[in-house]
Amino acid sequence: MRAQGRVAAKPLAGKRIVVTRARQQAARFTRLLEEAGAEVLEVPTISIEPPDSWEPLDMAIEELESFRWLIFTSVNGVEMFRIRLEGSRRDVGALVGLRIAVIGPATATALQQWGRRADVVPDVYRAEALVERLRSEIRPGDRVLIPRAVGARDVLVAGLTELGAIPTEVPTYRARPVRDPVGRLAQALRRRDIDAVTFTSSSTVRNFAELFSPRERAELLKGVVVASIGPVTARTSAECGLPTHVMPREYTIPALARALIDYFTEERS
């Protein structure tokens, strides 16, 4: 009863929210939602795993000095790159001389925690915005190393090529679908026991959608709030027949949690 009294005053009290992030990435988002009073059901629809081969990344690391730019598009990219670099008996000092650009404050923080600040962070956390931000920075012929997820959008590579750069994209990790929790999730949705489902990347949406038929998705998500971290994820969600109801202006985990708080606070008022 003591705990219920405290939770009742919180903005997400009584709300049950599904987090579909990979298990190793979900803790921060879950904590923010729980601090706001929500009951969180972690149902990871993806897992972060190594690529099929490390060879392309290892070869790029061997010739790191030949690149002028290094671009990280996610925390996972920073972490996997760090592991492989340190595995080659080098450390963050190997990045001296490289200009580093990142997409998003979380990625910038991960880089800084490793010991290096980003030189460029676009105001809008999308590949399109980074290309525009680099338009005045990139020189024709600059070699650009992009360690990132298998199957990532080609916007960055195409945009850099248009600017005259020579991008080298190397697979650094893979987001694989997780299907184990479908029964638990389906049961909660059928009981109408879920208030919101959250998506933090296109891969979380696609893998969530593959758990159910289009007819099941429409039926099970009737009345459930869909929250997407940004426009790319929202577009993928729409393509899967899942209209986004909540999307923050800043495409970050704290902003997504804040947007859910604002949505349900307004709904109650």
Side-chain angles (χ1 to χ4, degrees), residues 102-105 120-126 129-130 132-133 249-252:
V102 304
I103 297 178
V120 173
V121 184
D123 294 332
V124 178
Y125 312 139
R126 300 178 62 186
L130 180 58
E132 284 308 305
R133 178 67 177 77
R249 292 184 178 180
E250 184 181 77
Y251 316 142
T252 65

Side-chain angles (χ1 to χ4, degrees), residues 165-177:
I166 305 172
T168 299
E169 181 185 19
V170 290
T172 307
Y173 64 95
R174 177 186 295 277
R176 289 193 183 277

Side-chain angles (χ1 to χ4, degrees), residues 18-31 34 40-49 76 174-182 184-185 198 200-201 203-204 207 211 253:
V18 172
V19 169
T20 58
R21 299 201 91 188
R23 191 169 300 284
Q24 59 268 48
Q25 296 179 310
R28 186 185 187 202
F29 192 22
T30 294
R31 177 174 55 77
E34 288 181 339
V40 174
L41 183 62
E42 287 190 10
V43 185
T45 59
I46 61 170
S47 64
I48 303 301
E49 300 179 4
N76 293 321
R174 177 186 295 277
R176 289 193 183 277
V178 175
R179 304 190 182 282
D180 293 345
V182 62
R184 184 165 58 109
L185 176 60
T198 63
T200 54
S201 67
S203 56
T204 62
N207 294 330
L211 296 175
I253 291 298

Side-chain angles (χ1 to χ4, degrees), residues 69-188:
W69 285 90
L70 176 60
I71 295 179
F72 293 112
T73 61
S74 70
V75 173
N76 293 321
V78 174
E79 181 62 12
M80 292 296 199
F81 183 87
R82 181 189 65 77
I83 291 171
R84 294 308 292 182
L85 182 70
E86 293 179 350
S88 68
R89 300 183 183 279
R90 304 172 77 181
D91 60 22
V92 69
L95 306 187
V96 172
L98 283 167
R99 297 272 289 163
I100 302 182
V102 304
I103 297 178
T107 307
T109 298
L111 181 64
Q112 188 170 353
Q113 288 173 341
W114 187 22
R116 173 68 195 268
R117 287 179 179 273
D119 298 295
V120 173
V121 184
D123 294 332
V124 178
Y125 312 139
R126 300 178 62 186
E128 292 87 343
L130 180 58
V131 171
E132 284 308 305
R133 178 67 177 77
L134 291 174
R135 186 173 292 277
S136 61
E137 302 260 2
I138 291 281
R139 300 182 306 209
D142 278 355
R143 294 196 71 202
V144 183
L145 177 60
I146 311 171
R148 63 175 181 171
V150 175
R153 293 191 306 149
D154 63 0
V155 169
L156 193 53
V157 170
L160 292 171
T161 302
E162 185 181 341
L163 296 180
I166 305 172
T168 299
E169 181 185 19
V170 290
T172 307
Y173 64 95
R174 177 186 295 277
R176 289 193 183 277
V178 175
R179 304 190 182 282
D180 293 345
V182 62
R184 184 165 58 109
L185 176 60
Q187 286 179 5

